[in-house]
Amino acid sequence: MKGGKSKSDAKSAKLSVNKKSITKAGKKSGKAAKDPNKPKRPASAFFVFMEEFREQYKKEHPKNKSVAAVGKAGGDKWKSLSEAEKRPYVDKAEKRKVEYEKNMKAYNKRQAEGPQEDEEESEKSVSEVNDEEEDDDEGSGDEEDDE
């Protein structure tokens, strides 16, 4: 076949496309690791409501194991609440947000001061490297004796 592609050429073309998609997925996983010390964002008013609603729902429906059913029922209940009924949850969410902002300021201060600690660690690693170099120099002590 002149100029035509064989089946093996088509397969290799498909493989190259798959390789590209794999590298894209690899880039996503290549993000920086999250700091476990960073404060978690506060729950919204809806999620504060859901914390209480889940407990009530489990008491009323002990045999129900579906997370989706609880979420759907909670969403419907939240939509049916008036602004006055939502107010306590909104207030709790605002308190959590203020606490979160306070914790984030403290966290950011620690992060700004953090490089000083990192420098100490890097000094340790430099000294370890120097120790290794000294060990190497001791092995080649013949050259130093000639001086």
Side-chain angles (χ1 to χ4, degrees):
M1 289 190 278
K2 289 186 176 180
K5 291 185 178 182
S6 67
K7 289 182 181 179
S8 62
D9 290 341
K11 286 181 183 177
S12 64
K14 287 181 183 177
L15 289 176
S16 65
V17 171
N18 289 340
K19 287 180 184 176
K20 289 179 183 176
S21 63
I22 290 170
T23 58
K24 286 182 182 178
K27 289 181 183 177
K28 289 181 183 178
S29 63
K31 289 184 181 178
K34 291 184 180 179
D35 185 359
N37 299 327
K38 186 175 182 180
K40 291 186 176 183
R41 293 188 69 192
S44 66
F46 172 72
F47 284 101
V48 173
F49 162 76
M50 282 301 292
E51 290 172 3
E52 292 180 14
F53 182 79
R54 271 189 215 99
E55 292 174 15
Q56 293 173 353
Y57 193 84
K58 285 181 182 178
K59 289 176 185 173
E60 294 172 9
H61 308 280
K63 294 181 182 179
N64 184 19
K65 302 292 182 190
S66 173
V67 175
V70 177
K72 187 168 178 71
D76 292 340
K77 174 89 176 190
W78 179 255
K79 287 178 186 176
S80 68
L81 293 178
S82 67
E83 291 298 318
E85 292 170 322
K86 291 181 183 180
R87 176 59 37 203
Y89 304 110
V90 172
D91 291 341
K92 285 182 187 177
E94 287 175 2
K95 286 179 186 176
R96 289 183 184 184
K97 185 176 181 182
V98 168
E99 183 68 24
Y100 166 76
E101 289 171 353
K102 178 181 163 185
N103 291 340
M104 276 303 292
K105 284 181 183 178
Y107 171 77
N108 288 334
K109 270 188 183 178
R110 286 193 308 264
Q111 289 299 102
E113 295 170 1
Q116 294 172 355
E117 293 175 11
D118 291 342
E119 288 174 9
E120 290 175 12
E121 290 177 14
S122 64
E123 287 175 10
K124 289 178 187 174
S125 62
V126 167
S127 65
E128 290 173 6
V129 170
N130 289 340
D131 290 342
E132 291 174 6
E133 289 175 1
E134 288 174 8
D135 292 341
D136 292 342
D137 290 342
E138 290 173 10
S140 61
D142 297 334
E143 297 171 355
E144 292 177 10
D145 291 340
D146 293 338
E147 290 180 2

